[in-house]
Amino acid sequence: MDINHSFYQLTPDSILNAIESLGYEPTGRFYPLNSVENRVYDIETSNSGRIVVKFYRPGKWSQFEILEEHEFLQELTLGEIPVLTPISIKGKTLFEWLGIYFAIWPLRNGRIVEEITGSNLERVGALLGRIHSIGKQSDSKHRPVLDIPSYGLKSLNFILENNLIPNQSLAERYKVTALRSFEIFESLVKEYQIPFQRIHGDCHKGNLLISQDGYSILDFDDFLTGPIVQDFWMLLPLGEENRKDDLFQFLKGYTMFADFDENWLQLVEPLRIVRYVHYAAWIAKRWKDPSFPSLFPHFGTEEYWLKETLDLESAKKDLEENSVNETPSPKNVEPEMTNKDFFWDWEN
């Protein structure tokens, strides 16, 4: 049986049979949750209340990579950090059904954060600082690295080698712009000796939940090794005139628990550009998934690639012309940065 076909065609019966195999007694009531990459369901059971079942997309992660995600979450939980840890059944957190890996998670009620303001900036900064302080304590053995060879070039080469950009002149512009941005990324890492460590990797507001117990961070599916500012720029609405001290307030909380060098923020713009390229390749690799053509109806058109190329060129120009001369820390000045607020895979 084609595993991908089984994943695309997960039926209510197969979903419920999977959790029954672990001893759960489903009532028959379940709700699909809004997840693009994986298949996630809120399921009611008569013996354990409501649980969340996550079926991992075949081919994205190996068994070892998924288990390392679970282990990192367990480390964070032992550190009393509010994250969701998969439920262990007979000493296991990862299971298999029809060739598809899946895990069971507790249901956490709360609401997605629309905006982080005021004293909440310091609280969220402290939460992320605690996560990064534990992330720094050991290295990842199996998860990917957010660097140019494995994260940037692989994505760019996939786009070019598969002739995804129909206009060759446009493809050349896209290539030249991406490669120049990648060079700047690597030069900044080298110049400022920017450290890489275990990070969330997809830390946007859609993965930040607030409840009566406070803030918690969800969905470590893209957990990897990378620079800590990857988790900053996706979370903070930087650059708005009336919120110029947001980063300052955030760092007051963050630096209570983790180290920070203001020079590391110079990697923010290159990280945005790498994500542009990586995201386009991600969509292309998922195109056989029946849900993707309807989710991204304009993907692959010349208009799509023209916009992508213009966005890349604009970002590269900003990167080359508007280097950050002074960056705020809890002891100095206010930020002057930009954030185009693009969160393509926001899972509300």
Side-chain angles (χ1 to χ4, degrees):
M1 180 181 294
D2 182 353
I3 295 177
N4 283 316
H5 179 77
S6 300
F7 179 73
Y8 302 151
Q9 304 296 329
L10 278 170
T11 65
D13 283 344
S14 62
I15 294 164
L16 297 180
N17 288 340
I19 67 165
E20 284 179 336
S21 72
L22 301 180
Y24 290 100
E25 299 173 2
T27 65
R29 297 181 64 183
F30 77 101
Y31 312 92
L33 300 179
N34 188 16
S35 176
V36 176
E37 180 70 347
N38 303 297
R39 300 292 186 264
V40 186
Y41 304 92
D42 173 354
I43 300 180
E44 182 183 75
T45 71
S46 59
N47 60 339
S48 297
R50 288 166 64 188
I51 57 173
V52 172
V53 181
K54 174 181 177 180
F55 290 88
Y56 288 85
R57 179 178 292 272
K60 180 176 182 181
W61 302 123
S62 69
Q63 178 184 14
F64 295 110
E65 287 171 321
I66 297 172
L67 288 174
E68 191 168 32
E69 173 204 351
H70 295 182
E71 291 164 4
F72 185 39
L73 287 166
Q74 289 162 359
E75 283 183 65
L76 295 172
T77 298
L78 288 173
E80 299 183 344
I81 296 174
V83 295
L84 284 182
T85 304
I87 295 171
S88 177
I89 301 173
K90 297 181 179 178
K92 295 176 61 178
T93 59
L94 185 63
F95 312 96
E96 191 174 345
W97 188 257
L98 301 177
I100 304 171
Y101 290 123
F102 74 99
I104 311 295
W105 306 77
L107 178 69
R108 175 165 293 178
N109 293 317
R111 60 180 175 83
I112 299 296
V113 175
E114 297 294 335
E115 194 171 22
I116 311 169
T117 59
S119 61
N120 289 327
L121 284 159
E122 187 173 338
R123 294 190 186 109
V124 172
L127 174 57
L128 194 58
R130 293 172 65 201
I131 290 173
H132 286 171
S133 70
I134 289 180
K136 187 179 179 180
Q137 290 176 9
S138 62
D139 297 328
S140 170
K141 296 179 180 178
H142 304 289
R143 302 294 285 200
V145 179
L146 203 173
D147 61 9
I148 295 306
S150 60
Y151 207 82
L153 282 175
K154 280 187 178 179
S155 297
L156 178 61
N157 289 339
F158 182 87
I159 291 169
L160 298 175
E161 290 169 3
N162 288 278
N163 298 313
L164 298 181
I165 306 176
N167 183 307
Q168 290 305 304
S169 175
L170 200 61
E172 185 63 20
R173 285 170 56 189
Y174 187 94
K175 173 184 175 181
V176 168
T177 304
L179 288 176
R180 174 57 184 148
S181 301
F182 294 169
E183 289 176 1
I184 296 172
F185 180 108
E186 291 187 314
S187 67
L188 288 170
V189 170
K190 182 177 180 179
E191 179 178 358
Y192 294 111
Q193 295 295 298
I194 298 176
F196 282 42
Q197 64 165 72
R198 295 181 300 172
I199 59 173
H200 184 285
D202 195 33
C203 193
H204 54 66
K205 288 184 290 187
N207 284 330
L208 187 64
L209 195 70
I210 188 169
S211 68
Q212 61 182 9
D213 298 320
Y215 286 100
S216 57
I217 292 183
L218 311 177
D219 193 7
F220 279 70
D221 189 67
D222 287 309
F223 139 65
L224 45 60
T225 295
I228 63 166
V229 293
Q230 169 69 7
D231 287 347
F232 283 23
W233 76 263
M234 300 188 70
L235 195 60
L236 300 178
L238 303 175
E240 299 174 14
E241 282 299 316
N242 61 335
R243 300 181 64 185
K244 291 177 67 177
D245 67 340
D246 281 356
L247 184 56
F248 177 85
Q249 296 299 327
F250 174 87
L251 288 172
K252 284 177 65 178
Y254 184 88
T255 53
M256 288 192 293
F257 298 96
D259 295 332
F260 172 75
D261 185 324
E262 61 186 36
N263 289 314
W264 299 348
L265 283 167
Q266 296 198 42
L267 204 59
V268 167
E269 287 302 326
L271 282 167
R272 295 181 198 272
I273 295 172
V274 171
R275 185 166 170 85
Y276 266 125
V277 178
H278 181 77
Y279 184 72
W282 173 75
I283 297 174
K285 292 174 183 177
R286 303 290 184 263
W287 202 245
K288 290 183 179 179
D289 183 329
S291 65
F292 269 63
S294 59
L295 287 169
F296 305 98
H298 301 297
F299 179 78
T301 64
E302 188 161 342
E303 291 78 12
Y304 172 88
W305 288 112
L306 176 60
K307 183 179 185 304
E308 288 292 297
T309 302
L310 291 173
D311 286 344
L312 278 184
E313 290 173 340
S314 175
K316 180 181 75 71
K317 182 179 179 181
D318 290 343
L319 178 60
E320 292 176 328
E321 294 182 355
N322 301 317
S323 60
V324 178
N325 296 316
E326 291 187 51
T327 311
S329 70
K331 296 180 181 180
N332 57 27
V333 297
E334 297 175 330
E336 291 184 3
M337 301 182 65
T338 61
N339 188 335
K340 298 174 184 176
D341 259 343
F342 50 92
F343 300 118
W344 308 285
D345 54 353
W346 195 315
E347 298 180 8
N348 288 330

